Amino acid sequence: VEKISREALLTGFSPAALRSREVVRLETSDIRRIVSSSDGAVSSVVCDRDKQLWVADSSSAGSVVRQEAVEGVLNGLKSLNAQSVVTLKATEGELKSFGLDKPACTISIDFFNENSLRRNIFIGERTEEGYYATMGASFDAVFILSTADVTALTSPLTTEHISEKGTK
């Protein structure tokens, strides 16, 4: 429960101001798979608990995992906070105006717990503050994520393997 003064209500108060800026907070040891889709490229990695290492998923077979990029994504997912809340419940028209109807990037997260639902972070158009983003299929809210957070989250997780002969 939040107390709001009458003065605040009359001076441009918005219910979005009450919404937490926390987009997601995850226990990274629970994450089994990360799929990043950006600019038509998809990179997918899975956690090999036995080796305590991230490896390329079947959809990225033959690729080399960029461990530092995976660590950057995991660090971002530990506690991802928005710069600001744009809207609490986006309409289809709003999604289009924010570039979220066809996101520039999608980060999908699967968990070891089989009863867990996949989490999706959709990143849209750039703004002066950062990038529009939303979480999941319900489009609970549209946030603005910082450029630094988006850079870490969208870094390619894999690189194509190049053989000794120089062919891919």
Side-chain angles (χ1 to χ4, degrees):
V1 174
E2 218 31 69
K3 289 187 178 183
I4 304 165
S5 69
R6 288 180 190 220
E7 293 80 25
L9 287 172
L10 297 173
T11 58
F13 171 78
S14 163
L18 297 176
R19 172 65 159 81
S20 167
R21 291 187 183 191
E22 184 176 274
V23 177
V24 67
R25 178 182 304 270
L26 300 175
E27 192 64 45
T28 57
S29 60
D30 294 339
I31 298 174
R32 179 181 63 82
R33 181 175 185 231
I34 303 169
V35 180
S36 177
S37 306
S38 181
D39 297 326
V42 176
S43 54
S44 179
V45 295
V46 294
C47 181
D48 184 330
R49 281 187 163 169
D50 294 333
K51 294 180 184 177
Q52 296 182 346
L53 188 66
W54 287 86
V55 297
D57 194 357
S58 58
S59 62
S60 294
S63 298
V64 176
V65 176
R66 298 179 59 236
Q67 298 295 329
E68 72 283 353
V70 174
E71 288 302 317
V73 171
L74 291 172
N75 285 333
L77 294 173
K78 283 181 187 176
S79 180
L80 182 61
N81 294 300
Q83 300 283 77
S84 61
V85 178
V86 178
T87 185
L88 292 176
K89 189 74 174 169
T91 64
E92 279 189 48
E94 287 173 320
L95 289 177
K96 190 171 186 170
S97 68
F98 302 135
L100 293 165
D101 59 327
K102 296 177 184 173
C105 182
T106 302
I107 295 93
S108 301
I109 304 119
D110 293 326
F111 302 91
F112 283 105
N113 182 344
E114 291 181 20
N115 296 328
S116 296
L117 296 175
R118 172 178 267 193
R119 299 277 186 100
N120 294 305
I121 301 170
F122 301 103
I123 299 172
E125 294 178 2
R126 184 172 173 75
T127 73
E128 290 179 12
E129 294 178 62
Y131 291 83
Y132 292 114
T134 191
M135 182 85 181
S138 64
F139 307 114
D140 168 45
V142 173
F143 301 95
I144 294 181
L145 295 179
S146 74
T147 300
D149 284 338
V150 171
T151 299
L153 289 173
T154 59
S155 182
L157 303 175
T158 59
T159 59
E160 289 188 46
H161 177 70
I162 299 176
S163 70
E164 292 177 24
K165 294 180 181 178
T167 58
K168 292 182 184 177

